[in-house]
């Protein structure tokens, strides 16, 4: 048996923070686990991500946006997610197809049935076993991101010659094309997520993302715990 867990939520709700903490925790406990993200996670997917988040790409048509997200997803599933699940491991993914319905469907007004057809082609209907929704209002999430973007800028000014970090922070602005859409857009996305949760309550767990980071992490672990029994621990080196 394997486990496919996704993190969903609005911008700045703490998905990447919590996905990383859960990844570290599971790794320490000896579980076979990988952490990836959407869009991205593969060489090709990260290139597509750069096109999607670039603030200069104001002319991007909604269909282009939808297909680029789906192309990155198709690559991630084929290259990483399916092969790892086949080994009996745990895949943690920072966003997945629910984001397509919430952002391009509810946010941009694309037809949900059309999105479903595109998503089916990209994923072969692979669905997560569990989806953790980090619950925060659009205002709160965007405020966190603005704060983070200011801190980032400050750091860059203070340490212009600091060595480059291994993540993508350098190529990718803390405030990107998708964050920059207006508040009403993000509120439509929030409504979309709530509807998606109502439609499939078994798969989703709502977590209060306003709590301090370590408390959110604890709630995340409590939700994941019952599913771990089906995963075989890695053999420890003696
Ligand atoms: N529980 C929390 N309380 C307060 N601040 C938090 C909490 N969790 C994360 N943050 C901060 O909020 C900002 C956004 O967090 P993070 O990048 O994890 O969110 P995200 O959901 O991945 O955002 P994005 O949608 O942009 O990828 C970061 O500066 C992070 O340090
Ligand atoms: Mg993130």
């Amino acid at each position: 048996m394997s486990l496919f867990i996704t993190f969903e939520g609005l911008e700045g709700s703490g998905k990447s923070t919590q996905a990383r903490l859960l990844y570290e925790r599971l790794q320490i406990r000896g579980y076979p686990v990988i952490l990836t993200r959407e869009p991205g996670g593969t060489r090709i997917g990260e290139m597509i991500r750069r096109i999607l988040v670039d603030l200069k790409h104001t002319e991007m048509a909604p269909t282009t946006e939808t297909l680029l997200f789906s192309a990155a997803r198709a690559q991630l599933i084929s290259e990483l997610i399916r092969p790892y699940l086949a080994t009996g491991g745990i895949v943690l993914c920072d966003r997945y197809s629910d984001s397509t319905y919430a952002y391009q469907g509810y946010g941009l007004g694309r037809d949900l049935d059309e999105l479903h057809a595109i998503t089916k082609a990209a994923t072969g209907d692979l669905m997560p076993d569990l989806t953790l929704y980090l619950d925060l209002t659009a205002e709160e999430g965007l405020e966190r991101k603005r704060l983070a973007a200011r801190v980032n800028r400050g750091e860059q000014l203070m340490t212009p010659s600091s060595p480059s970090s291994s993540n993508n922070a350098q190529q990718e602005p803390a405030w990107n094309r998708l964050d920059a859409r207006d508040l009403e857009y993000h509120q439509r996305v929030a409504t979309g997520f709530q509807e998606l949760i109502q439609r499939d309550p078994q798969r989703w767990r709502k977590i209060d993302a306003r709590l301090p980071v370590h408390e959110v992490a604890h709630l995340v672990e409590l939700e994941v715990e019952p599913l771990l029994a089906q995963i075989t621990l890695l053999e420890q080196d003696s």
Side-chain angles (χ1 to χ4, degrees), residues 32-107:
V33 60
I34 56 167
L35 168 62
T36 188
R37 68 168 180 178
E38 272 213 14
T42 63
R43 196 162 60 96
I44 292 168
E46 290 294 333
M47 290 171 84
I48 295 173
R49 182 184 183 98
R50 286 202 282 281
I51 299 172
L52 280 164
V53 300
D54 194 325
L55 281 163
K56 292 194 297 294
H57 292 169
T58 51
E59 75 277 33
M60 192 181 295
T63 306
T64 312
E65 182 175 309
T66 303
L67 291 171
L68 284 175
F69 273 112
S70 298
R73 182 169 304 141
Q75 186 63 30
L76 183 63
I77 288 176
S78 144
E79 194 179 321
L80 198 68
I81 296 182
R82 279 199 195 275
Y84 200 73
L85 291 177
T87 68
I90 305 171
V91 174
L92 306 180
C93 194
D94 185 347
R95 290 200 187 281
Y96 189 60
S97 54
D98 295 302
S99 281
T100 288
Y101 298 116
Y103 283 83
Q104 281 74 47
Y106 292 87

Side-chain angles (χ1 to χ4, degrees), residues 110-123:
R110 306 296 294 173
D111 180 65
L112 291 176
D113 289 336
E114 185 185 278
L115 290 180
H116 185 244
I118 294 170
T119 300
K120 195 172 172 195
T123 64

